[in-house]
Amino acid sequence: MSDRISLTFPQDESYHGVARLVVGGLAARLSFSFEYLEDLQLALDSLLANGAYQAGSDVTLELLVEEDCVEMCVGPVTPALRTDLERLDESEGVGLGRLLETLVESVEIESRDGGEWLRLAKRNPVRGVAAST
């Protein structure tokens, strides 16, 4: 099974809750655990709160759902996001890259559609074990 969902919304912070709701509804529909859902939503919230998307354009959230994994792509993101993700100096608090690495298994920036996008992948080992038995 593989489903793709795409949501494009204005940058205005009042729409962030809609994106969060889509992620939560999807995880609930697939019977993912509450902890799994929280990790996905916190990763999305952190990215949106960071203002990592390009100014003047809408934000697109794409979700690719597989049996044991959800991939989230958000874009287009600012080129400065790469620097934020690679920042090692945590004197000002935990960096975005470090936070995302604790929430998801994979954090990548990819080029597409003339811009950069952030791809996050979160595996669900419980579903993966159930699917393989």
Side-chain angles (χ1 to χ4, degrees), residues 81-129:
L81 179 63
R82 187 179 302 272
T83 304
D84 288 348
L85 292 175
E86 295 170 353
R87 185 182 69 170
L88 298 176
D89 176 20
E90 295 184 3
S91 61
E92 297 176 19
V94 176
L96 180 61
R98 177 79 171 130
L99 175 63
L100 293 176
E101 287 175 355
T102 63
L103 297 171
V104 298
E105 284 72 30
S106 174
V107 179
E108 301 173 3
I109 293 184
E110 62 183 43
S111 295
R112 68 176 202 195
D113 302 330
E116 292 193 323
W117 289 63
L118 181 66
R119 177 181 298 277
L120 306 173
K122 176 76 174 166
R123 301 234 173 265
N124 188 345
V126 174
R127 288 183 63 105
V129 169

Side-chain angles (χ1 to χ4, degrees), residues 4-57:
R4 183 176 300 273
I5 297 167
S6 181
L7 173 68
T8 300
F9 54 96
Q11 289 184 6
D12 187 283
E13 190 175 331
S14 63
Y15 291 94
H16 294 182
V18 175
R20 192 173 198 280
L21 209 70
V22 168
V23 171
L26 179 66
R29 181 181 148 281
L30 297 170
S31 301
F32 288 139
S33 71
F34 184 71
E35 290 81 15
Y36 187 95
L37 165 63
E38 280 186 324
D39 286 350
L40 286 173
Q41 288 181 325
L42 182 55
L44 178 63
D45 286 347
S46 300
L47 183 61
L48 294 174
N50 189 35
Y53 35 80
Q54 285 190 350
S57 64

